[in-house]
Amino acid sequence: MTTTPANNMDVKRRNRVNTLRCILASGRVSQMELTQKLALSWPTILQNVKELVELGLVREDGMYASTGGRKARAYAPVRDARVAVGIELAPDHVGVALADLGGNLLRQATGALRFSLEDIYFKYLGGLLQRFVEASGAADRILGVGIALPGIVDGERGVLRNSHALELRNVPLGRFTQQIPWPCRCLSAAHAAGLAELRGTEGDMVYLSLDDTVGGAILRDGELCLGDHLRAGAFGHMTLVPGGRRCWCGKEGCLDAYCSAKVLSDHAGGSLSAFFEELRSGDTGKRELWREYLEHLAAAVNNLHVSFDCGVMVGGRAGACLEEFGELLRALLAERNPFEPDASYLKYGLRPKEAAAVGAALTQVEAFLQEL
């Protein structure tokens, strides 16, 4: 096959991006290590590193100790050379996050704000975002803004198709971005949370989010899978108990009706933290409810593991409590596993509160890296 100038440019860009990704992941690395990790030639690595240094994305970071020959120069990423903002819009609050090129959370803020489709809401949102960016001191390094919306987001057609949480249907995405003076990208909050939690994962992984509603995301070969109708990862509407509890969608027996965070908080005055405080204190009723919750969760996680044959990460506000209170879950999963008594495939999410906002910011980071 003949290599055209355009193809050659694509290869060079891909190699440069992969070099930066490797440096971001490594933290501190030599050019020789880069050639080994990326299987690229020494001249290619030399040129890529030179260009990245000139762009201010990579810096020299001293020398490695000598192993008998010439000392190797070390390079490190300048992760905050560019940053991005993520916003999570929820019915009763707004979360804002600032993330660097490595996906690290630099700054965050959460405030109570009742959603409205009125102009005054979006004017307030735009002002809040401007103040957040000014306080960060990063206004001159902003790549753009990602907006995480609870519902089905059709980015190609520029519309929020449906949001039960916000009680909206077929709203142009431009409505949400009109007061924001930076480039914007919108996506589903569940998909955004999955992007944040699964960043750096190679191969396939499933993310299950246990918030006031149950959602999730599917990663295939490191890429987010959206599905034919942008509903991939809508795990909350898998039928868990035929003829069971009624879900907010109107159907019976959905996973959402058994494993949302509200299932727990509704038994503690609407406070999830109060539920776990009572569980921690040994409350018998809460212990029984928690066991029932874990049994339903184990059935759902096992179904995902068997269906996708890959690791499953559980996150969200309720998922964040599994490391402390979820020992029984692993035992239930090992028991349900039809192939071997193993539950090592289960992972816990690390961003219970800010995942969607960080994931939204990462859409702008990824766009920058792809165009580098």
Side-chain angles (χ1 to χ4, degrees), residues 201-355:
T201 300
E202 295 182 359
D204 299 347
M205 194 79 173
V206 171
Y207 173 68
L208 178 65
S209 175
L210 306 177
D211 282 307
D212 283 349
T213 59
V214 176
I218 304 165
L219 213 68
R220 288 180 176 164
D221 294 326
E223 297 290 334
L224 185 66
C225 175
L226 298 179
D228 291 343
H229 303 93
L230 307 175
R231 296 192 291 258
F235 302 129
H237 301 293
M238 297 189 304
T239 301
L240 186 68
V241 181
R245 300 173 190 168
R246 186 169 294 278
C247 176
W248 58 262
C249 73
K251 306 301 180 182
E252 295 178 340
C254 292
L255 174 61
D256 200 290
Y258 291 87
C259 288
S260 75
K262 284 177 61 64
V263 170
L264 304 174
S265 62
D266 284 351
H267 287 80
S271 171
L272 188 64
S273 60
F275 173 87
F276 284 106
E277 280 299 322
E278 293 176 36
L279 181 63
R280 194 176 284 113
S281 68
D283 183 284
T284 302
K286 299 301 186 294
R287 289 176 66 180
E288 291 176 355
L289 178 61
W290 181 238
R291 181 180 179 89
E292 179 185 83
Y293 181 94
L294 289 181
E295 288 174 346
H296 288 127
L297 181 58
V301 171
N302 179 69
N303 287 344
L304 293 174
H305 177 58
V306 171
S307 298
F308 292 94
D309 190 26
C310 66
V312 178
M313 179 181 285
V314 180
R317 292 190 303 124
C321 300
L322 289 172
E323 192 159 10
E324 180 181 357
F325 299 103
E327 183 178 350
L328 174 61
L329 177 60
R330 289 194 181 275
L332 292 170
L333 288 173
E335 181 181 321
R336 280 188 171 274
N337 192 326
F339 306 109
E340 59 269 326
D342 174 58
S344 61
Y345 64 85
L346 176 68
K347 310 296 180 186
Y348 297 133
L350 301 175
R351 304 178 188 265
K353 295 180 180 179
E354 75 282 356

Side-chain angles (χ1 to χ4, degrees), residues 3-23:
T3 302
T4 66
N7 288 337
N8 194 40
M9 288 297 295
D10 288 342
V11 171
K12 287 183 176 180
R13 180 181 293 109
R14 184 166 60 249
N15 287 340
R16 184 167 56 244
V17 170
N18 288 340
T19 300
L20 178 56
R21 288 187 190 277
C22 189
I23 297 172

Side-chain angles (χ1 to χ4, degrees), residues 149-178:
L149 300 169
I152 300 172
V153 177
D154 189 337
E156 186 174 329
R157 292 180 173 80
V159 65
L160 174 63
R161 287 190 187 175
N162 181 42
S163 173
H164 167 77
L166 302 182
E167 299 181 349
L168 299 176
R169 292 182 67 87
N170 298 319
V171 176
L173 296 180
R175 190 82 174 115
F176 301 95
T177 66
Q178 58 183 320

Side-chain angles (χ1 to χ4, degrees), residues 23 26-34 42 45-46 49-50 53 57-66 70-78:
I23 297 172
S26 301
R28 189 171 187 264
V29 66
S30 70
Q31 291 179 346
M32 182 58 71
E33 288 172 321
L34 288 170
W42 175 270
I45 291 296
L46 192 66
V49 171
K50 179 177 180 291
V53 169
L57 303 175
V58 170
R59 62 180 174 83
E60 292 187 13
D61 191 36
M63 309 290 285
Y64 281 96
S66 175
R70 184 178 179 181
K71 290 183 179 180
R73 181 171 281 110
Y75 293 89
V78 185

Side-chain angles (χ1 to χ4, degrees), residues 127-140:
L128 178 120
L129 184 58
Q130 292 256 25
R131 292 190 295 274
F132 177 83
V133 170
E134 288 171 4
S136 74
D140 60 337

